[in-house]
Amino acid sequence: MAHEADAITEELRQLYLMLEAKQIAEADFDAREGELLDRLDRVREREANPTDEAEDAEEDQGGEDGSDDEEKDEEDDDADGGGGA
């Protein structure tokens, strides 16, 4: 991931050089700079919290087995005869 941050930083450096050389419009520079800075923030956040990334990926998959626990709970309720006590 450090490589990713370095690559984004290099893109920013090139972008600044293009602006100084008037090779890019300021509006285009602002838009691209914002995108790159957002990406850099996300990369640095992942680097600072590597366990959060693994937990987020697991949540996105619906748990370790890829199933959705809510659906499982609803199925259990149906098997027990439905609703409540």
Side-chain angles (χ1 to χ4, degrees), residues 50-78:
T51 56
D52 289 347
E53 183 180 332
E55 290 171 4
D56 288 346
E58 186 176 309
E59 286 174 10
D60 289 344
Q61 295 175 0
E64 289 182 25
D65 62 356
S67 66
D68 187 350
D69 291 336
E70 276 188 39
E71 287 179 18
K72 191 175 184 181
D73 290 341
E74 289 173 10
E75 291 171 7
D76 291 343
D77 287 345
D78 290 343

Side-chain angles (χ1 to χ4, degrees), residues 35-67:
E35 292 170 3
L36 290 170
L37 291 173
D38 288 345
R39 280 180 51 202
L40 189 58
D41 286 343
R42 287 192 302 270
V43 168
R44 288 183 174 159
E45 182 68 28
R46 284 194 315 255
E47 288 174 351
N49 301 308
T51 56
D52 289 347
E53 183 180 332
E55 290 171 4
D56 288 346
E58 186 176 309
E59 286 174 10
D60 289 344
Q61 295 175 0
E64 289 182 25
D65 62 356
S67 66

Side-chain angles (χ1 to χ4, degrees), residues 16-29:
Y16 293 127
L17 291 174
M18 290 173 63
L19 180 66
E20 288 177 10
K22 308 260 191 253
Q23 294 175 338
I24 187 171
E26 194 159 336
D28 294 334
F29 169 83

Side-chain angles (χ1 to χ4, degrees), residues 6-18:
D6 291 343
I8 295 168
T9 301
E10 177 60 22
E11 277 188 71
L12 281 165
R13 191 181 72 75
Q14 291 294 324
L15 191 64
Y16 293 127
L17 291 174
M18 290 173 63

